[in-house]
Amino acid sequence: MDLHILDHRLRVTSISKSGLVNFTHPLIKLIFLRNRTRCKFFSLTETPENYTVVLDEEGFKELQPSEHLQVESSMWLPLNVVSNGNASSSSQAVGVTKIAKSVIAPLAQQHVSVFMLSTYQTDFILVREKDLSVVISTLEEEFNIYKEEGGESVPVHSQDVSNGLQKNGKDAIHPTVHPVLIPLNQFCVMSLDPDTLPSIATTLIDVLFYSSSPKEDSQSSPSQDLDCIKFFSFSLIDGYISLVMDTEAQRQFPADLLFTSSSGELWRMVRIGGQPLGFDECGIVAQISQPLADSDISAYYISTFSFDHALVPEEDIVSVMDMLQHQRKEPASS
């Protein structure tokens, strides 16, 4: 198996709901006007709390400093696992389940914090640039590691990395078991030919920038806000588009332009975290991905500025709920 360190240096940012109006101009440019920006890695995810924007240095230049923009201080590097020369094939998207044991668990044991971004095409594992030497020394037994530089894939070994081997901190600790929320929405993971993006532009602008949640524009029943959750994710990475939306949002788009895997399956969400999770705790992704991998349940995983989100096939949601319940009852070993 090959692990590629992609040629992007990324910033993880958050735009407040009330401040979105200050950023629609650059966001529209980054989403729709590819010829006007040199940004090659862009992801925007709306949650009830805020908008998480992950983007490369070129894209980050488009965002003006503002009280409405929070920026995580680190530079992040995206890793991608490639099997047989191809990124994991989208026809059988098993997502983070594939890499739970080989990548996510070992990094958690070395106290490396990861930020996950699953797309229709593949799974990106973001690690802090300063942790790269630990990442390489931890994973090089399992993977051939390459760093992409100017279109070339250059083999990397731990002795090549400047600050050598440094284990991150102490012995393995048992991470906090975070509360989870399982909303009722059904989600679709979809893609789109970038050439047809103009055809859905008005719908996408409407969904991203103007569809406020029910409680903001009508007196809907309070339970509705708890039962369903606002979540929409758009990414444009190296020319590939990925969209994650619930079936209600999907109905607003022309059916013939968005495509999904041949099975066309629906996904349910497990949102991880009661309080905003922050960026320093390790093992949050492993806590969910490990049991899913043990049961061979597919999962997409999208981290955001405040919370993490796993998407599992709808037919597996009951067993996932049981699994998480069981995990919460297990006494933590000291």
Side-chain angles (χ1 to χ4, degrees):
M1 296 267 272
D2 295 347
L3 180 77
H4 288 249
I5 303 159
L6 303 181
D7 198 3
H8 299 290
R9 298 177 77 232
L10 306 177
R11 302 307 299 261
V12 177
T13 73
S14 163
I15 297 171
S16 68
K17 288 283 174 107
S18 59
L20 180 68
V21 64
N22 303 289
F23 291 95
T24 42
H25 192 266
L27 290 175
I28 284 172
K29 183 177 174 182
L30 289 162
I31 294 169
F32 298 108
L33 306 177
R34 283 178 297 159
N35 57 337
R36 288 190 175 272
T37 168
R38 293 164 65 187
C39 179
K40 298 279 184 286
F41 194 113
F42 172 83
S43 169
L44 170 68
T45 303
E46 180 183 5
T47 61
E49 299 74 36
N50 48 36
Y51 293 83
T52 297
V53 184
V54 180
L55 69 186
D56 60 20
E57 293 172 293
E58 286 293 334
F60 185 62
K61 288 176 190 169
E62 305 281 352
L63 304 182
Q64 295 301 311
S66 157
E67 60 180 335
H68 299 290
L69 179 72
Q70 282 182 276
V71 182
E72 204 284 322
S73 58
S74 311
M75 196 66 78
W76 295 77
L77 303 176
L79 314 178
N80 185 220
V81 173
V82 178
S83 44
N84 312 328
N86 298 310
S88 27
S89 85
S90 54
S91 58
Q92 48 169 118
V94 294
V96 289
T97 305
K98 260 189 195 160
I99 53 174
K101 290 182 159 60
S102 58
V103 180
I104 294 167
L107 291 180
Q109 283 160 5
Q110 292 303 329
H111 305 273
V112 173
S113 182
V114 299
F115 187 95
M116 287 297 306
L117 180 59
S118 291
T119 66
Y120 177 84
Q121 291 80 15
T122 189
D123 301 282
F124 296 100
I125 307 131
L126 276 57
V127 297
R128 287 187 170 98
E129 195 169 47
K130 68 179 177 59
D131 287 332
L132 187 60
S133 58
V134 180
V135 170
I136 291 169
S137 58
T138 304
L139 300 179
E140 66 180 349
E141 280 183 32
E142 183 82 27
F143 294 95
N144 302 313
I145 302 179
Y146 297 90
K147 193 165 186 0
E148 295 191 359
E149 292 172 1
E152 297 286 305
S153 295
V154 183
V156 182
H157 304 283
S158 55
Q159 61 265 33
D160 306 335
V161 184
S162 52
N163 53 348
L165 171 59
Q166 53 174 68
K167 294 284 192 224
N168 269 7
K170 318 155 285 295
D171 297 331
I173 46 169
H174 289 275
T176 315
V177 176
H178 290 281
V180 299
L181 174 72
I182 299 179
L184 296 179
N185 324 42
Q186 298 169 309
F187 288 90
C188 322
V189 180
M190 315 191 81
S191 188
L192 174 75
D193 178 342
D195 293 338
T196 63
L197 190 55
S199 316
I200 64 158
T202 49
T203 308
L204 197 51
I205 289 170
D206 190 8
V207 169
L208 278 174
F209 301 132
Y210 295 98
S211 60
S212 52
S213 66
K215 62 172 177 279
E216 287 167 334
D217 57 15
S218 72
Q219 296 302 305
S220 60
S221 66
S223 66
Q224 189 183 348
D225 295 336
L226 299 170
D227 292 346
C228 288
I229 194 170
K230 179 78 182 178
F231 187 92
F232 187 96
S233 187
F234 171 93
S235 60
L236 174 53
I237 298 171
D238 291 327
Y240 290 97
I241 291 175
S242 175
L243 295 142
V244 178
M245 65 185 87
D246 67 12
T247 47
E248 195 172 322
Q250 182 204 5
R251 282 195 283 274
Q252 299 179 51
F253 288 88
D256 54 335
L257 292 179
L258 298 178
F259 50 87
T260 184
S261 61
S262 51
S263 55
E265 61 208 313
L266 295 172
W267 301 77
R268 289 286 300 278
M269 177 183 287
V270 178
R271 187 179 88 155
I272 301 105
Q275 297 293 315
L277 297 169
F279 289 86
D280 295 321
E281 187 183 332
C282 310
I284 299 171
V285 184
Q287 191 183 110
I288 297 287
S289 62
Q290 193 73 35
L292 292 176
D294 291 341
S295 305
D296 205 28
I297 293 173
S298 298
Y300 290 94
Y301 200 104
I302 298 176
S303 303
T304 63
F305 212 85
S306 301
F307 299 106
D308 280 8
H309 308 80
L311 292 170
V312 298
E314 185 167 47
E315 63 266 24
D316 293 316
I317 191 67
V318 174
S319 46
V320 170
M321 287 159 91
D322 291 346
M323 206 163 61
L324 294 170
Q325 196 114 24
H326 176 69
Q327 191 181 48
R328 304 186 71 73
K329 286 181 184 156
E330 279 184 353
S333 327
S334 53

